[in-house]
Amino acid sequence: MPVTPLEIMLSKVWSMVLIVLLASTFSLIVVAQGLLHIPLQGSIALFLLRAVLHLFATASLGIFLATVAGSMPQFGLLLILVLLPLQILSGAQTARESMPDIVQAIMFAAPNTHFVILSQAVLFRGAGLDAVWPQLLMLLLIGTALFTFSLKRFRQFLK
């Protein structure tokens, strides 16, 4: 092959990160602040850093699920079975504090949970890097673990 599995994965991850980051930036600046006049308290740059780490983790999760699935329909079903609970239990729709302790502990390993914590802290409460660095570190660790595991599975998948 003219390209390696690492190059394929990096191109998939970073192309998605770039597109979603551009759309998020446009949405925050033009739509939320410009058209809707929503007051955002925190740093948009810190929010976008968080977005890059979250997108890295979720894209790596998607590649892993694609290596597990045998076909596109199976991949679609896996997405529903994995992403829907991750989103519902992330704390975006329901407060994490109202969930059982075991669910909170399990969801601490999910990138969506840290996405919600960071987004609320930075955009609505104006938190700085000193307050949110643990969540940024967790997103980096989760993303790196998922990327490494996905790369290993992807290499096996191509053999």
Side-chain angles (χ1 to χ4, degrees), residues 17-33 40 44 47-48 51:
V17 166
L18 181 63
I19 297 298
V20 174
L21 202 59
L22 288 172
S24 297
T25 305
F26 177 81
S27 296
L28 277 175
I29 295 171
V30 175
V31 178
Q33 286 184 322
L40 300 177
I44 291 178
F47 175 80
L48 294 176

Side-chain angles (χ1 to χ4, degrees), residues 62-74:
I63 292 171
F64 170 72
L65 292 176
T67 63
V68 171
S71 64
M72 276 304 281
Q74 286 179 354

Side-chain angles (χ1 to χ4, degrees), residues 116-145:
V116 171
I117 293 169
L118 277 164
S119 298
Q120 291 172 349
V122 170
L123 292 179
F124 299 134
R125 292 189 290 276
L129 184 59
D130 57 328
V132 296
W133 71 266
Q135 281 76 33
L136 287 172
L137 180 62
M138 280 302 296
L139 275 175
L140 181 62
L141 292 174
I142 292 168
T144 302

Side-chain angles (χ1 to χ4, degrees), residues 5-54:
L6 177 63
E7 293 169 337
I8 293 170
M9 280 186 57
L10 285 175
S11 66
K12 287 187 171 293
V13 169
W14 291 114
S15 62
M16 191 207 53
V17 166
L18 181 63
I19 297 298
V20 174
L21 202 59
L22 288 172
S24 297
T25 305
F26 177 81
S27 296
L28 277 175
I29 295 171
V30 175
V31 178
Q33 286 184 322
L35 297 175
L36 300 175
H37 304 292
I38 298 173
L40 300 177
Q41 303 299 321
S43 166
I44 291 178
L46 184 57
F47 175 80
L48 294 176
L49 171 64
R50 184 252 357 122
V52 167
L53 293 175
H54 179 257

